[in-house]
Amino acid sequence: MIELSRPWQEAARPGRRVGHAIEAHLTIGSTNDRARELVANEGIVVIAEEQTSGRGRRGRGWHSPPGRGIAMSAAVRPRLAAGDAWQLALAAGLAAAAACEPVARVGLKWPNDVVSSIDGRKLGGVLIETVIAGDRVDAAVIGVGLNAMWPRSDMPADIRDEATSLGELAGTGVDRVALLDRLLDALSDEIEAIERGESPLGRYRTRCTTLGTVVTAETAAGTVTGRAVDLDERGTLVVEAPDGRHVLDGSEVLRVRGGGS
Ligand code: BTN
């Protein structure tokens, strides 16, 4: 039996864009799947103590053992052109990083892995699923996973070397309800900013740990190794490699090594 020190609903704020209501589960397959079912209810958030089939980007899985972190998905209907849908991923990454910041220094490894500023280990990720209708974003599910109270020694072998958690970094307990509350505040602010036409790119650049580092990116077309020199106006990564410049789209890149700290 999983017991919370206080209920997730304490992070719900009436009138807030994202997280005016929270549906909490002890266990679920994936909060993204449940949020997709609720997408007509703009701003509702689904959270679970445990996911049994948590999903990561590019078809990978996401570990969400009971009580160790935040596994949450928000259903939103952003007033956004389809061509600007890419901004949601950057906005969500920025919100996740802002929520962590009072506990530990973090950055964003391109495109939106939340990583420790100290050792580059990953402690969070973002999975966005959008429904496009014509030239508009009709709906989006914004999934965020954050490792909170999860010692590295307890992590499964497949992630232990490259992953960390807020508690591990801070050496203290982490109030997960307060962490969720900050995340929902920041997500609401970021979504409202992009709806006003403010690109998240400027803020993203200051958080991005990948710029200036040497990365190896696996794409469907092959492997690219070079220095990450810029982000273009759509948030794609510009890499200077021996054979020339490559522009890497986050939705096409399978994996980026390096560039995390
Ligand atoms: C990644 O870095 O690959 C993205 C991880 C996203 C995980 C979160 S946890 C809540 C939501 N539900 C899921 O199944 N995935 C996302």
Side-chain angles (χ1 to χ4, degrees):
M1 178 68 185
I2 305 155
E3 284 184 22
L4 272 175
S5 51
R6 55 197 183 105
W8 289 114
Q9 272 80 11
E10 286 188 18
R13 308 254 168 251
R16 181 168 58 193
R17 177 68 187 276
V18 181
H20 54 80
I22 294 175
E23 181 182 285
H25 297 257
L26 282 180
T27 184
I28 200 168
S30 160
T31 55
N32 263 41
D33 293 344
R34 177 61 184 147
R36 207 167 43 219
E37 293 170 358
L38 300 175
V39 86
N41 193 345
E42 152 83 359
I44 196 168
V45 164
V46 178
I47 190 154
E49 280 296 315
E50 173 191 42
Q51 292 186 119
T52 52
S53 330
R55 290 189 278 115
R57 294 177 61 245
R58 311 300 314 170
R60 290 190 283 267
W62 181 260
H63 293 283
S64 305
R68 296 304 200 179
I70 281 187
M72 81 93 199
S73 302
V76 291
R77 316 284 306 260
R79 291 180 289 281
L80 212 55
D84 290 333
W86 60 272
Q87 297 187 0
L88 286 169
L90 269 55
L94 282 167
C100 294
E101 199 62 45
V103 185
R105 287 197 51 224
V106 298
L108 291 170
K109 176 178 164 183
W110 185 85
N112 48 25
D113 287 353
V114 183
V115 296
S116 158
S117 298
I118 308 297
D119 58 19
R121 289 195 169 96
K122 176 167 173 172
L123 60 122
V126 170
L127 179 67
I128 310 272
E129 295 171 314
T130 48
V131 179
I132 304 291
D135 61 355
R136 310 292 302 170
V137 176
D138 180 52
V141 170
I142 300 176
V144 178
L146 291 173
N147 300 336
M149 293 301 295
W150 200 9
R152 288 186 53 226
S153 53
D154 288 355
M155 291 180 181
D158 62 321
I159 63 167
R160 191 179 302 149
D161 287 345
E162 293 183 354
T164 190
S165 68
L166 283 173
E168 180 86 45
L169 292 170
T172 60
V174 177
D175 180 338
R176 290 182 301 142
V177 177
L179 179 64
L180 175 66
D181 198 9
R182 290 195 299 274
L183 174 62
L184 299 179
D185 274 348
L187 205 46
S188 299
D189 290 348
E190 289 292 343
I191 287 174
E192 286 170 0
I194 61 178
E195 286 182 330
R196 287 193 301 271
E198 294 169 21
S199 168
L201 261 181
R203 289 191 303 290
Y204 181 84
R205 273 199 176 90
T206 65
R207 281 272 191 205
C208 183
T209 59
T210 310
L211 287 174
T213 66
V214 173
V215 299
T216 296
E218 290 164 27
T219 74
T223 301
V224 175
T225 297
R227 189 166 295 277
V229 290
D230 199 9
L231 293 160
D232 74 7
E233 70 286 353
R234 289 178 54 82
T236 52
L237 192 68
V238 183
V239 173
E240 257 175 20
D243 63 343
R245 283 200 157 209
H246 295 257
V247 178
L248 304 179
D249 182 330
S251 63
E252 291 161 10
V253 172
L254 306 178
R255 185 179 290 275
V256 175
R257 286 192 299 279
S261 54

